[in-house]
Amino acid sequence: MLGVSDQHTSISSRSLLSIAEEMGQLGVWSHNLRTGETFWSPGVHRMIGTNPAIDRPSFGTLLRSVHPDDSKGISEAWELMRQGFTPELTFRVIHPNGNLRWLTRRCEVLYAKDGAPLRVVGMLMDTTTQESLRELFRKNERRLGALGEGFKFSTWSADRNGALTSLPQWRSLGLESYSQVIGWDWLQIVPKSERAQTKAEWEKVVAGGKRFTSHIRLALGTTEDPIKVTVYSEPVFASDGTILEWVGLFVRPAEASNDAPDVQKIKPVHIRAARALLEWSIEDLSRASGVSVSSIRRVEGWEASSVRGQTLELIKAALERGGVTFHSRGDNISIGLRA
């Protein structure tokens, strides 16, 4: 047993706490449930943005610094704590200089001999960096999800044996749920007559351990015909050359595009938008197309499909000569200006 005095040990503990608060961005606190007395270490004041020489530790002082959107949650957590329940809590505070910080509270209840809650002791940690990284991750996920939806692809990963472990943009493949394709369940969306061959080909790819591009068919709906999907596969290696996992892309074929849309699909909004692109008045379009002003007004005021096809053809041709382009994708029509 070392001959160290209690006083020396106490001083060392305070010194260690001070170092931990400076280096780890944390603080300790306690609250007496019977007397209401609250203690904050200097680290707590620093994280909340209060001045220990002026601001008295209390729930009210804390609440003044809490982000308005988090005040309800922290008030509810405070009442739970007074009843002896101490769930972990993450919330935001705004410092006097406007800086926003994320803090996480962890605590436990100390009980009196009669079993009643007596005191709550806890730790407050600055988790701004972690929360910022989480938000960046969520933002990147949203961006990648938007790209996947727009360009019909999904990234994927599989374990070293080829069983699917993640498919973040599963909606881009038209799937109803994520869980239906994890592991080897993804084979269930391959047409039944092709499952054995598809699995055998994938197992061959995994055994080969090399980058591979293949095409498989997926039945993504009960009423839709199977679609051909391009699969890009890439092994991820450990430093010793063994395969850790597989990553890649599922890419759906783009919908067929028709550069000469059915003229009856052109709506009044398309004609008005095309005129706006060319900065043409109705009179300008009338002169360019040979269609009367009254007819053009009728076309733009009613469903274009109710107008004679020849009239629409003349209007469309005039707009195209002026530099407008019409493109069709399924039932959708987009317009633009020729470069």
Side-chain angles (χ1 to χ4, degrees), residues 143-161:
R143 290 170 176 169
L144 197 55
L147 286 173
E149 289 284 344
F151 294 96
K152 306 302 181 185
F153 74 86
S154 176
T155 58
W156 60 266
S157 64
D159 63 25
R160 66 178 67 187
N161 298 314

Side-chain angles (χ1 to χ4, degrees), residues 158-180:
D159 63 25
R160 66 178 67 187
N161 298 314
L164 202 66
T165 55
S166 72
L167 187 68
Q169 298 82 39
W170 53 272
R171 290 184 180 85
S172 70
L173 292 173
L175 297 172
E176 294 181 359
S177 72
Y178 173 69
S179 60
Q180 73 181 102

Side-chain angles (χ1 to χ4, degrees), residues 182-194:
I182 294 303
W184 288 100
D185 287 347
W186 66 270
L187 286 168
Q188 298 304 308
I189 59 174
V190 174
K192 190 173 182 179
S193 61
E194 302 172 19

Side-chain angles (χ1 to χ4, degrees), residues 235-311:
V236 178
F237 295 98
S239 57
D240 61 2
T242 58
I243 293 178
L244 292 173
E245 62 175 344
W246 289 82
V247 296
L249 295 173
F250 284 116
V251 182
R252 290 186 61 169
E255 296 178 9
S257 176
N258 181 7
D259 288 334
D262 182 354
V263 71
Q264 292 295 338
K265 292 182 179 180
I266 296 177
K267 306 292 190 222
V269 65
H270 300 131
I271 297 173
R272 292 195 297 269
R275 280 202 301 106
L277 286 175
L278 297 175
E279 299 182 354
W280 280 8
S281 65
I282 290 180
E283 289 74 15
D284 292 331
L285 179 55
S286 175
R287 285 191 291 270
S289 64
V291 177
S292 68
V293 169
S294 60
S295 294
I296 294 175
R297 286 200 175 104
R298 189 168 67 254
V299 168
E300 292 191 1
W302 303 90
E303 284 293 326
S305 57
S306 65
V307 180
R308 286 193 309 163
Q310 184 179 5
T311 300

